[in-house]
Every structure is written in structure tokens, then in C-alpha cells.
Amino acid sequence: MDLNKSEDGKSIKLDIWFGNREAIASIRTICSHIENMITGVTKGYKYKMRFCYAHFPINVSNTQVNGKEVVEIRNFLGEKKVRRVELLEGVQYVRTADVKDQIEISGIDIAKVSLSCAQIQQSTTVKNKDIRKFLDGIYVSQKGAMIEE
């Protein structure tokens, strides 16, 4: 497998010879990772998450614990338990001022940003109740680049 940069420096060429089915499929994965890295460095990624609740308002705050950013979720379904989700390195948390009950998670690495959002969403899953009725939680409402074209 060869990875070459063109003379003008604006394109990358990835070659493989005599590749089997798995090796050829990995080429597309490598190209997607390179495109995601370029987009992350030039534009960045931003995920918007909305709070969904029926009765008990969810309180979300940002704190620093041992030098790391931690998202604290309180009053989920009226519980006293405080859920803490540690954000990954390079991921920023912003509480949206103009939209009620919305946070923005942003960064340059799509894997870290999406994993942090998934951890926040999974921390608010409803247990031992009918999930068709209890739809409370924090869900991703929008995702994309920080700088729109």
C-alpha cells in the first residue's frame, strides 16, 4: 500500500496492488479518515444536543475535576443521583444562550466529539420503565462542521 502526495500538494493518492476484498475495503476507510482529519482541522465539528423531559427539568452543568472537563447531569427523572460524564481531550462544552435546553459539543476530532455525545446520551437512558412512555433524556439534534460553507 502506497500513500503519495501530489507535486502541487493539493491531493493525496492511495494505491494498493493485488489486494483482496478486505484490503480494498480498507482503502475507502483510510480515505474517509483522511477526509475527516482535514475537515476537523480546517472547520471543526459541532454536535448540538437537546434536553427532552416531560416533568422534571434536567440540569446540566460543566465543572473541572482534576484538570478535566466533566459534564454533570442533575435532576434526571427527579433522581438525586448526579451523573458525571468526563469529556475527552480536545472536546469543548458550551451551553447555548439563545436556545433553551441545548448544549453544544465541539472539537477537531470527530471520533472524540461523537464519543463524548454518545456517553452523555447513554448516561441518561431510562432503566426499568417503559421506554415508549419515558422519552426523557439528552439527544443529539444536529451535527456537522463548526464553520458552515
Side-chain angles (χ1 to χ4, degrees):
M1 189 178 309
D2 284 340
L3 181 65
N4 298 319
K5 186 171 74 168
S6 65
E7 286 80 22
D8 62 353
K10 294 189 177 192
S11 63
I12 296 172
K13 184 176 180 182
L14 189 62
D15 291 327
I16 191 168
W17 294 278
F18 309 111
N20 58 3
R21 183 179 172 130
E22 290 81 17
I24 293 171
S26 69
I27 293 292
R28 180 69 181 150
T29 302
I30 293 169
C31 291
S32 296
H33 284 304
I34 292 171
E35 288 175 5
N36 287 340
M37 286 190 276
I38 291 170
T39 303
V41 171
T42 56
K43 298 177 187 173
Y45 291 101
K46 182 190 326 184
Y47 281 46
K48 293 182 180 180
M49 301 186 79
R50 297 291 303 261
F51 311 159
C52 178
Y53 52 88
H55 186 269
F56 296 102
I58 302 171
N59 298 327
V60 178
S61 62
N62 185 21
T63 58
Q64 292 281 340
V65 177
N66 297 330
K68 295 188 177 185
E69 277 192 88
V70 175
V71 176
E72 290 185 345
I73 302 164
R74 299 175 189 273
N75 202 30
F76 177 70
L77 294 176
E79 297 174 353
K80 296 295 182 186
K81 177 183 175 187
V82 178
R83 292 165 167 79
R84 291 181 176 86
V85 178
E86 188 175 298
L87 294 179
L88 298 173
E89 183 180 349
V91 177
Q92 290 86 27
Y93 164 95
V94 174
R95 182 74 182 248
T96 309
D98 56 344
V99 179
K100 183 182 178 234
D101 296 336
Q102 179 172 301
I103 59 173
E104 294 178 354
I105 309 294
S106 59
I108 63 171
D109 189 357
I110 190 169
K112 290 182 179 179
V113 173
S114 61
L115 181 61
S116 295
C117 289
Q119 289 174 343
I120 291 171
Q121 181 174 341
Q122 288 177 351
S123 70
T124 59
T125 54
V126 178
K127 305 276 197 257
N128 301 324
K129 292 183 175 58
D130 188 3
I131 59 172
R132 297 171 294 180
K133 177 68 176 171
F134 292 90
L135 299 173
D136 295 14
I138 302 175
Y139 300 104
V140 174
S141 63
Q142 185 179 3
K143 54 187 172 181
M146 278 197 274
I147 303 170
E148 299 297 327
E149 295 174 8

